[in-house]
Amino acid sequence: AENPRNPHRPPRRVKYGVESSDEMAELWLRVLPREPDGAARLEAASVPKVLASALSYNRYLLERDPGNGRARAELGKALVMLGRTGEAEPHLDAAIRQRPDDDEPRYFRGIAHRMQRQLDQAQACFEDALRVNPANAKAHGNLGLVRMERGDLDGAVRAFEAALRLNPADEIARRSLEEIAAARRK
């Protein structure tokens, strides 16, 4: 209130955002770790902070526009990655309604179900994501993992092979196919 340059009388809280009246300051640092595992430890430590920032920013966007399906999807995705699947579900469901051609909220809905060991629902969500975007390699890979857990090895092989066609560097799909082949040889 004592700041003569403050344009707001009475003063009001300034939040992060993209408008000139919002707080837009950011500080970025580039860090070179000394230990060989330092980069992995640094990344693991930064993930919760990055996700907290994503929560804050997407909540801000939704305050401005509750119909912003992209912000709704990003908020749901961050909540899933934080393990807060119950909070994520309504946001992902809303994103699916607001963005019917977007496979990502369907994919993360599948991840949420998989985390909760709800394999039927997870499979349906991954299949729905693939209906919208057949080129989603991660959805193919996760569908393969779900089918493998359910004992559908033929279906898992098809899903892992599709994932590898789209992303030849997918080590999880490659190792899973090797596990299935080894199990069938026994």
Side-chain angles (χ1 to χ4, degrees):
E2 292 80 35
N3 180 352
R5 293 191 181 114
N6 188 339
H8 302 288
R9 301 263 186 250
R12 67 178 187 186
R13 183 174 179 81
V14 178
K15 295 181 180 180
Y16 177 82
V18 296
E19 301 298 326
S20 60
S21 60
D22 296 330
E23 176 57 59
M24 296 184 287
E26 292 185 7
L27 174 66
W28 291 77
L29 299 174
R30 186 171 186 169
V31 179
L32 181 62
R34 292 183 182 177
E35 294 89 32
D37 68 334
R41 288 191 352 244
L42 184 61
E43 184 177 345
S46 69
V47 167
K49 291 176 177 54
V50 169
L51 292 174
S53 177
L55 291 178
S56 177
Y57 180 64
N58 287 293
R59 284 184 175 135
Y60 161 79
L61 291 176
L62 289 170
E63 284 175 16
R64 296 183 57 113
D65 177 12
N68 184 335
R70 181 73 185 151
R72 188 79 58 195
E74 289 297 318
L75 180 58
K77 175 181 170 181
L79 288 165
V80 167
M81 293 173 76
L82 285 167
R84 294 161 54 183
T85 57
E87 288 178 68
E89 290 173 7
H91 294 291
L92 294 171
D93 289 344
I96 290 167
R97 285 190 304 277
Q98 292 168 330
R99 296 173 55 107
D101 296 334
D102 188 355
D103 60 311
E104 192 167 74
R106 291 166 166 78
Y107 169 77
F108 277 96
R109 193 77 163 90
I111 294 293
H113 284 301
R114 191 164 164 248
M115 290 170 71
Q116 298 172 75
R117 309 284 309 140
Q118 299 168 339
L119 300 181
D120 291 343
Q121 296 93 324
Q123 180 169 330
C125 289
F126 294 134
E127 289 170 347
D128 192 32
L130 291 168
R131 179 189 55 75
V132 173
N133 178 12
N136 185 329
K138 290 181 181 180
H140 282 289
N142 275 279
L143 179 58
L145 292 170
V146 168
R147 286 179 171 165
M148 195 164 122
E149 290 179 67
R150 297 180 73 202
D152 176 9
L153 298 185
D154 292 334
V157 166
R158 286 190 303 276
F160 290 136
E161 287 173 345
L164 284 169
R165 273 193 304 278
L166 294 164
N167 177 14
D170 186 337
E171 285 303 313
I172 295 172
R174 187 174 317 286
R175 281 194 308 264
S176 297
L177 282 172
E178 290 169 2
E179 285 177 35
I180 292 170
R184 286 182 167 170
R185 284 192 296 267
K186 290 182 181 181

